[in-house]
Amino acid sequence: MARIRPSKPMALFGAVVGLAILVFGFVNMPKDSGFLYLWMAVGLGVVGFNLWAAFSRRGATHVIEEDRRG
């Protein structure tokens, strides 16, 4: 089984982009909008996923299982 993960710099870049999504949403969207909460949840998901991929030992975005029989 092989784990494929993004490089640490690429995952950190993704986390920075997720942070930019959060800041943009908080600054530019109306505070009473339900869409703001969805926007923030997606931004937090992007940041969390990228930090997990960058720093977790098992932070693989894809897992390839090989069957080497026969």
Side-chain angles (χ1 to χ4, degrees):
M1 179 169 35
R3 295 188 179 278
I4 299 174
R5 56 194 282 165
S7 66
K8 193 172 282 193
M10 199 64 210
L12 291 175
F13 177 74
V16 170
V17 169
L19 185 62
I21 288 171
L22 289 172
V23 170
F24 176 83
F26 189 73
V27 170
N28 292 323
M29 291 190 187
K31 303 302 181 249
D32 59 349
S33 169
F35 185 69
L36 175 64
Y37 296 112
L38 177 62
W39 187 272
M40 293 295 171
V42 169
L44 287 173
V46 169
V47 171
F49 178 78
N50 280 288
L51 290 177
W52 169 75
F55 295 111
S56 175
R57 181 176 296 215
R58 299 178 55 90
T61 57
H62 295 84
V63 176
I64 298 174
E65 295 185 24
E66 296 179 19
D67 186 8
R68 296 189 180 223
R69 287 184 278 171

